[in-house]
């Protein structure tokens, strides 16, 4: 048994006194505030990692050197934890065993800090795959729970809680022989322990296994719920918080088990949402958010609304702490520069090509981004936001039935003399805007003017929330005669954009962008006034708000379109934008919002952008080229070159699309003098879907603007387009589809060899259930266009797509794309009439969706309808057309005489 002796010797490892002093010295220095000293310490620690027993010293200081102060001992353990993370596989066996046994022997150290450090060390070793290689860890910790000594029990529980958090999945797998079957019943016993800290650990441990519906917990679910109820009135906030958290998760996972007790649970959560401890109140408030997403919410909560609504509304007031953190008493701060960490990273949304609809402009498939986001600098999620979010969701569940509970409260709040109360009322009004809009309409003629007045309140926090709430009612404001509300609202909001408080500037800019989206061309009469303000804000704003200002300008351009193309407007707007553009370096992320903004401006200004287009075009091409070059270096030598931020390339491609769309044929010269098509060939094959998405959008736009430069590359591009017709990447697929359609119109009969590369994918996509509307419409248009230029190749497939083709295109506006697609379908029907017979009623319906087709297209429709009628005979036609809904029948008779 030689081996045995060696292990024994390892455990009797003794530090060398000099080595120990050196390490203690380092640990002391590393607590110095001086960064230079810290850096030297880092380097020395790295060097020491080369000695196999360096880690023995670290565990020795943590567990044995009781003479040292606790922060130093704990630090030693944390450095050891980092070494475990980085080099554990290189630790010699003896060292590993020594560390493990020291951890288990000292989990009950008398100091809470040392216990916690040992616990962190244990879970780090465990998550390095060592749960399998440390078979006595869990049994040992579980048996220590029964120790009479509080410190040992608490230390073991602390370690177990961390292991449950970090290794929940493997604990519930066969790898370890299902230890949870023993652990969960064990944890449940401790719900009744006399120490609050231990009760809290016990609940937290079990909570890790709710969402994953762990079998071992589901077997004991009733006992778990019973034990939770027993803890409902616990005096320890941490325990109450964990109880609330458990109930919120059980709502999602085991509603069936909570239902019988629902009345009591709701009553309990009402109390907890008003808990003195804000962390408990916040956990409890999550309950209403989660419940509102369950189908049973409406029935379960209805009798509790009279109590619940006042509680939520009360939670929407700023707490004293919030006001301090928000510097609520600082009214003017516009001259103070922003600290860089205040500026959130922003994400660029790549271009997607969509069809115009009869109802209103472009169909956006994106979520609204006007959720409750009024005080983003406090710890992001707090009771106020959670209460407001819950009220918002409940307003969407109950709609106007919520108003009897809210209106009496609102009357009191909105006109309150204390600003904090009044501010919360304005937030309430904004939170219910979406759900209760119909029921609020009678009150708006009185409320909107009141809110517009609140925009000049003396408290900045009142002004900023009022901006947000007004933006939630923008849709209604715009639906009224403009002089009544739109004009006064716009006038006041523009003043707030120039407010002396940064938070108000930000809220006003965001609200104004929402107003622009709703009002669109209603703003045209006020353009000079609007631009005056936005341009003035350029000179006034600090860093963070500048980024929001770009968005407001871009949205303005999207909303008013070519009305912006007037020399006097261009003169106001372009110089400050170009000045910023020249100041920013290629590596500066502030280019993203500026490029997005310029893209909208270029599209709107059309020929008005010509004087500015050359430098902008050049720089975009350079950004794409730089990013591709950096990506190639990184692929070849990842350790030498870091990966580029591809957003630079995506935003640049999107701005090039905006230029191509705005300048049309005028971009031809620029394209001729650059290598953009070669670069696009690389972008179309990029691993990142957003890069491909933007390059296909640009391909379509360049095809429309200057096909002579695209044509030589078509043989290279088409196979790539074919492989990207994969609806798993919806936006990539959508833009590739659209580009194929644009190319086919330009290619005409020469498209023939490429049809087999794309046709069967397109037919498959148009028959997909649940495909998004935009994708189906673009696919239908492209199939129609392919059939228009190559009817012989596409018509044989007619029967496989005619029905979904007709239903996809009946709702889009009359336009060029719809026109070419329908010409294609008519040509294909004349080549393969039998392909449409079974679904002829769908074709009739699609034809009737045209308001005014061009004469020759109307003739094509006429010919097909009459041809069909003559072929089946009058009697059959009557029977057939009796199935038509009345409006369809009348329309076809009136327009086409059938």
């Amino acid at each position: 048994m030689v081996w045995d002796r060696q292990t024994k010797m390892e455990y009797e490892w003794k530090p060398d006194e000099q080595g120990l002093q050196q390490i203690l010295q380092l640990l002391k220095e590393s607590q110095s505030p001086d960064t230079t000293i810290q850096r030297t310490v880092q380097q020395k620690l790295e060097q020491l990692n080369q000695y196999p027993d360096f880690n023995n010293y670290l565990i020795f200081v943590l567990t044995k050197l009781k003479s040292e102060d606790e922060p130093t001992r704990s630090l030693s353990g944390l450095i050891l934890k980092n070494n475990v993370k980085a080099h554990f596989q290189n630790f010699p066996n003896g060292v590993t065993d020594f560390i493990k046994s020291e951890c288990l022997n000292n989990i009950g150290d008398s100091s809470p800090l040392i216990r916690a450090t040992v616990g962190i060390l244990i879970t780090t070793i465990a998550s390095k795959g060592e749960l399998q290689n440390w078979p006595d860890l869990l049994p040992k910790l579980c048996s220590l729970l029964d120790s009479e000594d509080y410190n040992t029990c608490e230390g073991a529980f602390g370690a177990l809680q961390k292991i449950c958090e970090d290794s929940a999945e493997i604990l519930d797998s066969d790898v370890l022989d299902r230890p949870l079957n023993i652990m969960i019943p064990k944890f449940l016993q401790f719900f009744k322990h006399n120490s609050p800290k231990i009760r809290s650990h016990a609940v937290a441990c079990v909570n890790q296994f709710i969402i994953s519906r762990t079998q071992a917990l589901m077997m004991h679910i009733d006992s778990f719920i019973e034990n939770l109820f027993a803890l409902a009135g616990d005096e320890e906030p941490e325990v109450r918080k964990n109880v609330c958290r458990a109930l919120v998760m059980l709502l999602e996972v085991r509603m069936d088990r909570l239902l019988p007790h629902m009345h009591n649970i709701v009553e309990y959560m009402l109390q907890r949402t008003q808990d003195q401890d804000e962390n408990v109140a916040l956990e409890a408030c999550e309950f209403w958010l989660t419940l509102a997403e369950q189908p049973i919410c409406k029935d379960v909560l209805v009798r509790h609304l009279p109590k619940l609504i006042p509680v939520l509304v009360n939670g929407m007031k700023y707490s004293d702490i919030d006001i301090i953190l928000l510097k609520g008493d600082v009214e003017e701060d516009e001259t103070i520069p922003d600290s860089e960490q205040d500026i959130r990273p922003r994400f660029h949304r790549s271009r997607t090509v969509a069809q115009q609809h009869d109802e209103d402009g472009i169909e956006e498939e994106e979520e609204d981004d006007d959720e409750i986001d009024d005080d983003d600098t406090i710890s992001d999620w707090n009771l106020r936001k959670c209460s407001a979010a819950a009220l918002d969701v409940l307003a969407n569940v109950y709609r106007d039935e919520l108003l009897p509970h809210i209106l009496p409260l609102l009357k009191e709040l909105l006109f309150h003399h204390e600003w904090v109360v009044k501010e919360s009322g304005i937030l309430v009004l904004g939170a219910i805007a979406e759900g209760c809009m119909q029921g609020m309409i009678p009150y708006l003629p009185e409320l909107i003017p009141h809110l517009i007045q609140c925009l000049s309140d003396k408290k900045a926090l009142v002004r900023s929330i009022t901006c947000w709430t007004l933006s939630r009612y923008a849709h209604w404001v715009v639906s009224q005669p403009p002089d009544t509300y739109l004009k006064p609202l716009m006038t006041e909001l523009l003043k707030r954009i120039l407010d002396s408080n940064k938070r108000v500037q930000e809220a006003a800019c965001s609200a104004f962008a929402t107003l622009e989206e709703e009002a669109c061309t209603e703003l045209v009469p006020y353009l000079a006034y609007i631009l005056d303000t936005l341009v003035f804000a350029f000179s006034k704003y600090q860093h963070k708000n500048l980024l929001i200002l770009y968005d407001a300008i871009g949205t303005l351009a999207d909303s008013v379109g070519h009305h912006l193309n007037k020399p006097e407007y261009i003169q106001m707007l372009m110089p400050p934008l170009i000045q910023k553009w020249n100041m920013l370096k290629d590596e500066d992320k502030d280019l993203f919002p500026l490029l997005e903004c310029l893209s909208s401006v270029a599209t709107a200004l059309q020929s008005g952008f010509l004087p500015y287009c050359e430098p902008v075009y050049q720089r975009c091409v350079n950004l794409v080229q730089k990013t591709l070059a950096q990506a190639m270096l990184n692929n070849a030598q990842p350790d030498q070159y870091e990966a580029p931020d591809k957003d630079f390339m995506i935003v640049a491609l999107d701005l090039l699309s905006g230029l191509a769309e705005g300048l049309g044929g005028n971009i031809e010269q620029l394209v001729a003098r650059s290598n953009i098509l070669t670069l696009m060939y690389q972008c179309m094959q990029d691993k990142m879907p957003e890069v491909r998405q933007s390059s296909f959008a640009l391909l379509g736009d360049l095809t429309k603007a200057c096909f002579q430069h695209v044509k030589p590359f078509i043989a290279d591009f088409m196979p790539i387009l074919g492989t990207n017709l994969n609806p798993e990447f919806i936006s990539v697929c959508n833009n590739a589809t659209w580009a194929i359609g644009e190319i086919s119109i330009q290619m005409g009969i020469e498209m023939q060899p490429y049809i087999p590369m794309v046709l069967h994918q397109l037919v498959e996509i148009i028959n997909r259930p649940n495909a998004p509307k935009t994708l189906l419409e673009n696919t239908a248009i492209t199939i129609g266009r392919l059939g228009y230029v190559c009817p012989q190749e596409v018509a044989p497939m007619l029967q496989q797509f005619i029905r979904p083709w007709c239903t996809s295109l009946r709702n889009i506006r009359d336009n060029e794309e719809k026109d070419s697609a329908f010409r294609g379908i008519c040509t294909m029907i004349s080549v393969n009439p039998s392909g449409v017979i079974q679904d002829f009623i769908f074709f009739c319906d699609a034809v009737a969706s045209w308001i005014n087709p061009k004469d020759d297209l109307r003739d094509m429709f006429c010919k097909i309808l009459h041809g069909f009628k003559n072929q089946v005979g009058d009697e059959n036609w009557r029977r057939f057309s009796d199935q038509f809904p009345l409006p369809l029948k009348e329309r076809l008779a009136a327009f086409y005489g059938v």
Side-chain angles (χ1 to χ4, degrees):
M1 289 293 286
V2 185
W3 178 82
D4 199 75
R5 253 189 65 221
Q6 190 208 342
T7 322
K8 240 181 150 45
M9 282 171 57
E10 277 296 351
Y11 280 154
E12 282 159 20
W13 177 88
K14 290 276 189 299
D16 162 64
E17 195 47 45
Q18 206 181 344
L20 186 59
Q21 286 315 316
Q22 193 189 343
I23 283 172
L24 284 172
Q25 180 60 34
L26 271 182
L27 291 169
K28 292 275 191 292
E29 285 174 5
S30 74
Q31 295 170 60
S32 144
D34 182 341
T35 44
T36 344
I37 297 182
Q38 282 180 11
R39 223 170 293 141
T40 339
V41 172
Q42 263 334 96
Q43 285 164 347
K44 284 189 187 153
L45 287 173
E46 275 307 309
Q47 287 160 2
L48 285 170
N49 262 318
Q50 286 145 22
Y51 298 100
D53 63 351
F54 169 49
N55 293 301
N56 284 0
Y57 281 93
L58 292 173
I59 190 86
F60 181 87
V61 174
L62 172 66
T63 58
K64 287 212 177 358
L65 208 57
K66 310 269 164 133
S67 54
E68 270 307 320
D69 62 284
E70 287 179 10
T72 302
R73 288 171 61 200
S74 170
L75 185 64
S76 181
L78 294 176
I79 291 171
L80 175 54
K81 174 210 68 166
N82 290 338
N83 288 346
V84 168
K85 267 192 168 155
H87 317 291
F88 191 67
Q89 65 289 357
N90 308 332
F91 284 20
N93 279 344
V95 173
T96 305
D97 293 339
F98 182 48
I99 293 173
K100 286 179 177 176
S101 78
E102 280 302 298
C103 282
L104 287 176
N105 292 340
N106 291 278
I107 191 72
D109 193 284
S110 57
S111 144
L113 178 63
I114 302 299
R115 288 201 298 276
T117 310
V118 172
I120 290 172
L121 189 50
I122 289 177
T123 185
T124 310
I125 296 173
S127 55
K128 278 307 234 183
E130 285 296 303
L131 271 175
Q132 293 97 299
N133 307 340
W134 193 354
D136 54 341
L137 173 62
L138 294 172
K140 176 82 175 159
L141 288 174
C142 283
S143 69
L144 291 174
L145 295 182
D146 297 321
S147 162
E148 293 293 302
D149 173 48
Y150 167 79
N151 292 340
T152 305
C153 176
E154 196 278 326
F157 238 136
L160 279 166
Q161 183 181 332
K162 293 182 183 88
I163 293 171
C164 290
E165 286 166 10
D166 295 342
S167 308
E169 273 174 43
I170 191 168
L171 286 174
D172 187 30
S173 67
D174 288 328
V175 181
L176 297 177
D177 199 21
R178 308 236 166 234
L180 291 178
N181 294 341
I182 299 163
M183 289 162 68
I184 285 184
K186 180 106 187 162
F187 295 152
L188 290 174
Q189 294 168 10
F190 284 87
F191 278 35
K192 300 194 167 65
H193 195 279
N194 57 11
S195 148
K197 187 94 198 253
I198 286 177
R199 294 196 297 274
S200 172
H201 279 315
V203 183
C205 282
V206 181
N207 280 1
Q208 295 305 318
F209 303 102
I210 299 178
I211 289 294
S212 58
R213 298 183 166 78
T214 303
Q215 191 50 46
L217 175 55
M218 291 306 139
M219 283 159 34
H220 299 280
I221 193 76
D222 291 321
S223 140
F224 173 45
I225 291 174
E226 208 177 305
N227 277 301
L228 280 176
F229 289 165
L231 291 175
D234 203 292
E235 80 271 9
E236 170 64 33
E238 199 57 31
V239 175
R240 297 198 300 273
K241 185 177 104 181
N242 283 332
V243 169
C244 290
R245 183 171 290 175
L247 289 169
V248 170
M249 291 189 285
L250 286 167
L251 262 190
E252 289 182 46
V253 175
R254 290 307 301 258
M255 177 65 94
D256 56 321
R257 283 297 192 263
L258 295 187
L259 264 180
H261 316 281
M262 211 51 181
H263 179 77
N264 294 337
I265 294 176
V266 169
E267 291 284 321
Y268 173 66
M269 284 300 192
L270 270 169
Q271 287 178 319
R272 290 288 71 83
T273 308
Q274 305 170 75
D275 201 288
Q276 292 307 294
D277 184 298
E278 175 160 343
N279 294 322
V280 179
L282 178 57
E283 275 307 327
C285 195
E286 296 279 354
F287 180 82
W288 314 114
L289 259 183
T290 306
L291 183 57
E293 281 156 10
Q294 306 292 331
I296 58 140
C297 171
K298 203 162 181 179
D299 303 332
V300 168
L301 269 187
V302 73
R303 51 198 272 213
H304 299 281
L305 289 177
K307 281 189 181 165
L308 171 59
I309 299 304
V311 169
L312 291 176
V313 166
N314 194 39
M316 288 163 74
K317 289 203 294 276
Y318 277 126
S319 68
D320 300 345
I321 295 279
D322 291 343
I323 293 169
I324 293 166
L325 287 173
L326 284 170
K327 309 191 175 66
D329 48 351
V330 177
E331 295 300 323
E332 298 196 13
D333 61 358
E334 60 172 348
T335 55
I336 303 166
D338 296 331
S339 73
E340 286 309 304
Q341 66 263 30
D342 285 348
I343 298 172
R344 290 187 174 174
R346 33 184 325 296
F347 298 99
H348 170 69
R349 276 212 288 255
S350 310
R351 268 174 104 92
T352 1
V353 184
Q355 291 305 319
Q356 296 255 314
H357 287 249
D358 288 337
E359 315 88 84
D360 47 21
I362 298 270
E363 266 296 294
E364 293 271 354
E365 301 242 338
E366 285 136 14
E367 285 294 296
D368 281 353
D369 49 3
D370 61 351
E371 73 271 5
I372 292 160
D373 190 16
D374 51 324
D375 42 10
D376 50 1
T377 43
I378 329 183
S379 67
D380 265 349
W381 192 237
N382 54 25
L383 185 61
R384 166 187 166 93
K385 282 196 173 179
C386 191
S387 307
L391 187 60
D392 183 359
V393 185
L394 288 170
N396 277 299
V397 172
Y398 289 100
R399 301 280 160 185
D400 298 343
E401 292 165 43
L402 207 61
L403 289 176
H405 306 287
I406 286 216
L407 288 170
L409 297 171
L410 267 176
K411 280 203 180 70
E412 209 173 300
L413 299 171
L414 285 171
F415 300 93
H416 202 280
H417 60 94
E418 278 181 62
W419 75 264
V420 177
V421 180
K422 175 173 163 182
E423 193 277 346
S424 72
I426 298 172
L427 174 57
V428 169
L429 192 55
I432 61 170
E434 196 185 344
C436 306
M437 182 56 98
Q438 279 319 105
M440 286 304 295
I441 287 176
Y443 306 97
L444 293 178
E446 189 189 338
L447 281 175
I448 297 294
H450 174 62
L451 286 172
I452 291 174
Q453 247 182 320
C454 294
L455 280 175
S456 39
D457 193 276
K458 60 179 199 304
K459 291 303 288 185
L461 288 171
V462 173
R463 299 197 297 275
S464 60
I465 197 62
T466 306
C467 291
W468 177 75
T469 292
L470 278 163
S471 75
R472 302 267 287 179
Y473 290 96
H475 188 75
W476 181 82
V477 166
V478 170
S479 70
Q480 304 299 301
D483 283 354
T484 332
Y485 308 105
L486 178 61
K487 203 172 168 184
L489 169 59
M490 194 185 55
T491 314
E492 283 308 306
L493 260 185
L494 288 170
K495 287 184 194 155
R496 292 293 65 83
I497 285 178
L498 303 178
D499 201 276
S500 56
N501 179 279
K502 291 194 289 194
R503 173 179 305 279
V504 179
Q505 296 171 357
E506 176 184 2
C509 247
S510 299
F512 196 72
T514 307
L515 185 64
E516 290 168 341
E517 283 172 352
E518 291 290 350
C520 292
T521 49
E522 296 277 338
L523 297 178
V524 172
Y526 317 108
L527 264 174
Y529 184 45
I530 294 171
L531 284 170
D532 234 356
T533 304
L534 297 180
V535 168
F536 187 68
F538 258 112
S539 55
K540 193 175 168 70
Y541 277 14
Q542 298 294 342
H543 187 177
K544 180 182 170 190
N545 287 349
L546 258 184
L547 307 184
I548 296 162
L549 180 62
Y550 293 142
D551 181 54
I553 291 173
T555 308
L556 180 67
D558 293 338
S559 303
V560 300
H562 65 91
H563 297 283
L564 201 56
N565 187 7
K566 287 214 173 119
E568 62 273 29
Y569 298 158
I570 297 176
Q571 230 2 79
M572 293 167 80
L573 182 59
M574 288 309 296
L577 284 174
I578 293 295
Q579 186 198 352
K580 293 287 177 203
W581 166 266
N582 290 333
M583 276 163 51
L584 292 176
K585 296 193 174 58
D586 278 353
E587 300 69 55
D588 195 325
K589 291 211 165 94
D590 284 8
L591 272 178
F592 299 163
L594 179 54
L595 285 158
E596 279 175 48
C597 168
L598 279 171
S599 177
S600 296
V601 169
T603 309
L605 290 185
Q606 297 170 351
S607 59
F609 198 79
L610 269 174
Y612 308 95
C613 66
E614 191 159 356
V616 173
Y617 179 90
Q618 261 338 109
R619 184 166 192 182
C620 288
V621 175
N622 285 345
L623 283 168
V624 175
Q625 194 156 3
K626 264 190 177 167
T627 312
L628 286 171
Q630 181 73 21
M632 279 172 70
L633 288 172
N634 167 258
N635 280 338
Q637 298 167 287
D639 39 349
Q640 302 273 317
Y641 298 97
E642 58 180 291
D645 179 343
K646 287 191 179 168
D647 275 357
F648 284 104
M649 172 156 77
I650 295 165
V651 184
L653 290 165
D654 286 348
L655 176 44
L656 288 169
S657 278
L659 289 176
E661 199 183 325
L663 299 172
N666 288 319
I667 201 171
E668 184 272 325
Q669 282 288 294
L670 296 170
V671 175
R673 294 200 296 268
S674 71
N675 61 340
I676 186 62
L677 287 145
T678 322
L679 298 174
M680 279 163 61
Y681 178 65
Q682 289 172 268
C683 293
M684 288 178 202
Q685 299 174 75
D686 198 274
K687 290 196 293 285
M688 191 174 175
E690 292 80 2
V691 176
R692 302 199 301 275
Q693 174 185 338
S694 292
S695 51
F696 294 141
L698 178 55
L699 174 60
D701 282 316
L702 289 179
T703 298
K704 288 171 80 167
C706 53
F707 188 64
Q708 68 267 45
H709 296 308
V710 178
K711 196 170 177 184
F713 292 87
I714 289 297
D716 295 327
F717 289 171
M718 282 310 299
I720 300 175
L721 285 163
T723 51
N724 277 282
L725 296 177
N726 167 9
E728 271 178 53
F729 299 105
I730 289 193
S731 302
V732 179
C733 181
N734 182 60
N735 289 2
T737 303
W738 175 73
I740 292 166
E742 290 298 340
I743 289 168
S744 60
I745 291 291
Q746 301 286 342
M747 291 284 282
I749 191 68
E750 294 178 63
M751 195 66 186
Q752 211 175 334
Y754 304 114
I755 303 272
M757 294 179 184
V758 299
L759 185 59
H760 85 259
Q761 294 98 302
L762 292 169
V763 172
E764 212 170 285
I765 291 166
I766 203 167
N767 282 294
R768 257 176 94 95
N770 307 332
K773 211 159 78 178
T774 307
L775 179 59
L776 290 175
E777 290 162 358
N778 277 320
T779 305
I781 284 173
T782 293
I783 292 175
R785 291 176 151 191
L786 290 170
Y788 180 51
V789 297
C790 299
Q792 299 300 335
E793 282 66 27
V794 186
M797 307 270 286
L798 195 53
Q799 201 179 336
Q800 293 177 45
F801 61 74
I802 183 71
R803 180 186 285 198
W805 190 95
C806 292
T807 46
S808 301
L809 292 188
R810 64 186 299 271
N811 292 326
I812 68 167
R813 285 192 192 169
D814 295 7
N815 63 15
E816 281 305 310
E817 301 193 347
K818 186 171 174 176
D819 179 272
S820 56
F822 271 83
R823 285 170 193 276
I825 215 79
C826 292
T827 316
M828 288 188 277
I829 291 173
S830 62
V831 172
N832 176 15
S834 62
V836 73
I837 297 292
Q838 290 175 347
D839 298 305
F840 199 69
I841 185 165
F842 291 94
F843 176 72
C844 295
D845 177 56
V847 165
S849 76
W850 277 89
I851 311 293
N852 42 10
K854 293 184 182 155
D855 291 343
D856 57 337
L857 182 59
R858 176 175 306 191
D859 293 344
M860 290 166 100
F861 292 159
C862 241
K863 209 161 116 190
I864 292 174
L865 292 169
H866 283 280
F868 185 82
K869 183 179 172 179
N870 297 341
Q871 203 177 346
V872 298
D874 284 352
E875 187 48 41
N876 283 333
W877 174 260
R878 193 168 310 113
R879 273 210 299 275
F880 174 65
S881 62
D882 278 346
Q883 311 164 32
F884 291 0
L886 197 60
L888 173 57
K889 217 172 176 168
E890 289 172 347
R891 255 195 116 120
L892 289 177
F895 277 78
Y896 303 102
V898 291

